[in-house]
Every structure is written in structure tokens, then in C-alpha cells.
């Protein structure tokens, strides 16, 4: 049973990672509206299968926040960046590069 549970967890983690990679690709291509449903799906999968404290959930929130920031939805972006920073700081430490990235994004939002 443990093997099966670990297998499912790895499969879901890989799904989240692939979705986030696709979100980044679409974002880099300027296809923001196409990226949003994928980013939302990555957040849903990560929260449901990996948990609210999982680093991949934090990264998913940060990616979604970046899309909202680009599209001018600053209130939503701010909340998502703050959540991502909190989750990733606890899971990976305050010195983690993703924590720095989302702190920088949050600072840019306040300018």
C-alpha cells in the first residue's frame, strides 16, 4: 500500500511540475490568457494531492500570481505572492531562490 501511495504522490507531483513548466512557457510567449487555466489547475492539483504546505503548491501560487500581476490584477497577485512566500519560506527556508523571486515580484507590485 505504501508503494502505491508513493507512486501516486510522485505522479501528481510530476503532473504539477509539467503544468507549471507549461505555464512558464506560455508566459514567456505572452500567452497569458492560455496560461491562467493551467496555472489554476496546477494550484488545484498541488493543494489537493501534495498539501497546502508543499513547495510545489507555493510555486504554483507564485506562477499564478505572476500572471495576474502581468495582467494588472494586482490585488489577486499580491495575495498569491504572499501565500507563496509564506509556504516556501516554511518549506524551503527564507534564503530559497523562489522565496527571493516572489519577494522581488511583490516589491515590484508595490512600486
Amino acid at each position: 500500500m505504501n508503494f502505491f501511495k508513493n507512486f501516486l504522490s510522485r505522479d501528481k507531483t510530476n503532473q504539477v511540475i509539467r503544468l507549471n513548466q507549461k505555464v512558464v512557457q506560455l508566459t514567456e510567449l505572452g500567452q497569458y490568457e492560455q496560461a491562467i487555466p493551467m496555472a489554476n489547475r496546477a494550484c488545484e492539483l498541488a493543494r489537493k494531492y501534495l498539501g497546502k504546505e508543499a513547495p510545489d503548491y507555493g510555486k504554483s501560487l507564485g506562477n499564478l500570481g505572476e500572471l495576474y500581476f502581468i495582467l494588472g490584477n494586482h490585488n489577486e497577485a499580491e495575495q498569491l505572492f504572499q501565500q507563496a512566500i509564506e509556504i516556501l519560506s516554511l518549506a524551503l527556508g527564507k534564503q530559497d531562490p523562489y522565496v527571493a523571486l516572489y519577494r522581488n515580484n511583490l516589491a515590484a507590485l508595490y512600486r
Side-chain angles (χ1 to χ4, degrees), residues 19-55:
L19 277 171
N20 277 322
Q21 288 171 340
K22 186 67 175 170
V23 167
V24 170
Q25 289 172 345
L26 290 171
T27 302
E28 288 172 351
L29 294 171
Q31 298 174 350
Y32 311 121
E33 297 296 336
Q34 285 181 289
I36 288 178
M38 285 186 198
N40 276 315
R41 182 70 177 144
C43 289
E44 291 169 16
L45 285 174
R47 184 182 64 245
K48 182 175 180 178
Y49 294 108
L50 307 178
K52 291 182 179 182
E53 296 85 27

